[in-house]
Amino acid sequence: MLGVKNQKWWGWGDEGKGFTYDNKPKFPGFVMDKLGVDITTMNPVAPDFRDLDVPASQLSDDLRARLVEALGGEKFVVLDDECRVAHAYGKGIRDLVRVRRGELGRVPDAVLYPSDEAQVIALVAAALEANAVVIPYGGGSNIVAALEALPDETRQVLSVDMGRMNKVLEIDEQSGLARIQAGALGPDMEAQLNARGWTMGHFPDSFIWSTVGGWIATRSSGMQSDKYGDIADITRGLRMVMPEGRVLQLRPLPSTSSGPSVREMVIGSEGRLGIITEAWMNVHRKPEVREIQAYFFATYADGLRAAEEICHSDAAPFLVRVSDNNETQFSMSTAKPSGKISHLGSQVIEKLMVRKGWDLGKICLSFIGFEGSATHVRYTKSIVNKIVATHNGMGVGKGPGAMYDQKKYDVPQIRDFLLSTGIPADVSETATPWSKAQTVHDETVKRAEEAFAASGHRGYIMCHVSHSYHGGACQYFTFAVADGSETNLESYDLVKRAVQSSFMEHGGTVSHHHGVGEEHSPWMAEDISEAGVHIQRTLFDGIDPQGNLNPGKIVHDGVPGWSSNSLPEQESKAKLAARRGAKGE
């Protein structure tokens, strides 16, 4: 639409593209063994949009006229049903289950496509004068319910698709900074930078379907953040349209001592403070050499200890990924017969592992990435190889790493396929100090397995270290529950609560890089304390007292995505009622 790429309304990515197991002979057996589901007997069919009962747009003639004027034409104020539904949700498992069932909730009344900041200023002014709700939309990849209007919202709802604002506007080559519009999708932005010899180095799992503005708004982290930093490190300056015609302007300074950081307030704000229009971002010259080496460890504990030592060494690779045994088995199951990963399970390597005294049922796969000059890469690899050997690991070459690099953005398509066969699957990630990493892994796996048992359905959980820091690491959990019933969200909620509660109880954070939205907001008081939630609520209410800017996200007064009995104990009905009473609702 209007030259803007959008994902299909019912799942991840382009229409007609998806996961297939036809060339992955081990995958059906793996799913049968772990989840008891024979996917070879199923023939998933894509949903038909014509089966949906889409609520009519409530956009008034007066507001429509104001928006058409603000955006320079009727074609930029879109009321098409499929476009509205596609913008009503992100891509979380709860989103996809409901939209496939036709449980559409509060669909936006219009989708707006501004082309520059002046148009964003004009549309925000028109919307707030009409007391409408404004929800910024990047690539639609969000999985924590940060794009959905509240279900009981009676005001007009506007989704602002930033996809036309997709340019790298300028590069300060001396400073290593690029000014980029907020609606630029990852691949389009990198192509523009690469054409001039630069890279941002920011590659989240959602890279293909996420934007610069979305990364900033959700406090994103990329697969190469060990070298390039998280988005909070990369973002140096920005512009954001706020209520009452205010435009926040933050210059691209390397550091400041200007009181509490306004830049940090915007990063992770999920549209609650305004619409980000552009940003100055750190960029780097493309490296001379880039490669990813594969390693095996005898156990996940060995891999964790190696990752910690690598982080504290002089090596500084751009990627240190260590999969636990469950994820290692999953990776093997998705390999093609001639694929590099499948060679990792060759008899020669297995015999070598057995000679080393390893239990093949506990081995863990790791990928470590190196880049820079040829001399630097050789030096870095020598450090890493010594550390790996010290921690009961061994290298198996860069072939598997090259295969991982090619397929690293495909996991959401596997999740969509599994959902179509009656297996909801999702992810949760957390960060802890190194001293708590093993405990949070073991306890979270244990809690999830208990939740599977309580649900009455088989399930599977796996994990990997995805980002490393001096003081700790992010561990990224993926879980699936084999419940294809109409009530499968109850099973999902049971497992999700178990996972998130384990994070809180064992020293983790509510989310490392996916953001909060509505999905994670029940745990915010545990994460940042009641005082922290008070600070955030005061900030949001002060900037947006009428709740026009993406209301209900991050801090909440009731979470529409969760049933009342899904909320953790500290967010009881009584507390929610008291909070609403204090606000005079």
Side-chain angles (χ1 to χ4, degrees), residues 196-260:
R196 296 175 60 176
W198 296 86
T199 180
M200 186 185 292
H202 189 71
F203 300 98
D205 290 353
S206 61
F207 176 73
I208 296 174
W209 290 105
S210 55
T211 62
V212 172
W215 298 338
I216 297 170
T218 56
R219 197 172 283 272
S220 169
S221 190
M223 299 181 193
Q224 299 184 185
S225 67
D226 286 17
K227 173 181 177 180
Y228 294 99
D230 299 326
I231 205 67
D233 304 304
I234 296 171
T235 305
R236 303 319 312 158
L238 56 83
R239 293 176 66 92
M240 182 176 71
V241 175
M242 300 170 64
E244 300 179 356
R246 291 190 178 96
V247 178
L248 175 65
Q249 305 176 59
L250 299 177
R251 294 166 294 151
L253 302 173
S255 186
T256 71
S257 181
S258 306

Side-chain angles (χ1 to χ4, degrees), residues 324-343:
D324 69 3
N325 173 254
N326 279 1
E327 187 167 281
T328 298
Q329 293 181 50
F330 170 79
S331 297
M332 301 298 187
S333 78
T334 60
K336 299 178 182 179
S338 58
K340 297 294 185 180
I341 290 180
S342 66
H343 293 338

Side-chain angles (χ1 to χ4, degrees), residues 26 36 57 96 111 128 230 245 299 370 378 381 383 413 421 456:
K26 295 182 180 179
S57 170
L96 298 184
V111 181
L128 268 60
D230 299 326
T299 67
F370 309 91
R378 284 195 299 270
K381 282 198 296 186
I383 296 174
Q413 294 181 348
T421 62

Side-chain angles (χ1 to χ4, degrees), residues 170-187:
E170 62 179 297
I171 298 178
D172 178 346
E173 298 199 357
Q174 183 174 359
S175 306
L177 294 165
R179 184 164 71 97
I180 307 170
Q181 290 182 305
L185 288 166

Side-chain angles (χ1 to χ4, degrees), residues 481-501:
V481 56
D483 182 357
S485 72
E486 287 296 309
T487 59
N488 59 6
L489 284 181
E490 294 180 7
S491 297
Y492 164 78
D493 285 348
L494 196 64
V495 181
K496 177 73 173 181
R497 290 200 309 274
V499 169
Q500 295 296 137
S501 296

Side-chain angles (χ1 to χ4, degrees), residues 319-506:
L319 167 73
V320 178
R321 178 180 175 124
V322 182
S323 295
D324 69 3
N325 173 254
N326 279 1
E327 187 167 281
T328 298
Q329 293 181 50
F330 170 79
S331 297
M332 301 298 187
S333 78
T334 60
K336 299 178 182 179
S338 58
K340 297 294 185 180
I341 290 180
S342 66
H343 293 338
L344 295 173
S346 69
Q347 292 183 353
V348 173
I349 293 178
E350 289 182 358
K351 288 180 180 178
L352 179 59
M353 292 176 177
V354 171
R355 283 203 299 270
K356 291 167 69 71
W358 291 11
D359 180 347
L360 296 182
K362 296 181 179 180
I363 58 175
C364 293
L365 176 62
S366 172
F367 294 112
I368 301 178
F370 309 91
E371 67 178 24
S373 68
T375 300
H376 175 74
V377 168
R378 284 195 299 270
Y379 171 70
T380 301
K381 282 198 296 186
S382 69
I383 296 174
V384 167
N385 288 340
K386 290 177 183 177
I387 293 173
V388 168
T390 299
H391 291 281
N392 208 15
M394 67 177 184
V396 290
K398 62 183 179 181
M403 182 62 65
Y404 158 79
D405 216 15
Q406 293 173 22
K407 301 297 182 182
K408 60 191 175 187
Y409 303 126
D410 292 351
V411 173
Q413 294 181 348
I414 301 177
R415 179 204 61 173
D416 280 13
F417 170 82
L418 291 174
L419 180 58
S420 297
T421 62
I423 305 173
D426 202 7
V427 297
S428 283
E429 22 66 70
T430 192
T432 62
W434 288 110
S435 58
K436 298 180 184 294
Q438 186 72 58
T439 297
V440 82
H441 171 271
D442 295 348
E443 288 296 325
T444 301
V445 170
K446 176 184 174 183
R447 298 292 180 83
E449 290 175 343
E450 290 171 350
F452 296 143
S455 76
H457 300 279
R458 295 181 65 178
Y460 195 73
I461 185 167
M462 58 190 187
C463 175
H464 65 266
V465 171
S466 60
H467 307 78
S468 299
Y469 305 88
H470 173 79
C474 168
Q475 292 185 93
Y476 193 111
F477 293 82
T478 302
F479 58 89
V481 56
D483 182 357
S485 72
E486 287 296 309
T487 59
N488 59 6
L489 284 181
E490 294 180 7
S491 297
Y492 164 78
D493 285 348
L494 196 64
V495 181
K496 177 73 173 181
R497 290 200 309 274
V499 169
Q500 295 296 137
S501 296
S502 176
F503 293 167
M504 294 298 95
E505 291 175 30
H506 298 101

Side-chain angles (χ1 to χ4, degrees), residues 95 106 170 362 524:
D95 303 326
R106 183 64 174 91
E170 62 179 297
K362 296 181 179 180
M524 286 296 284

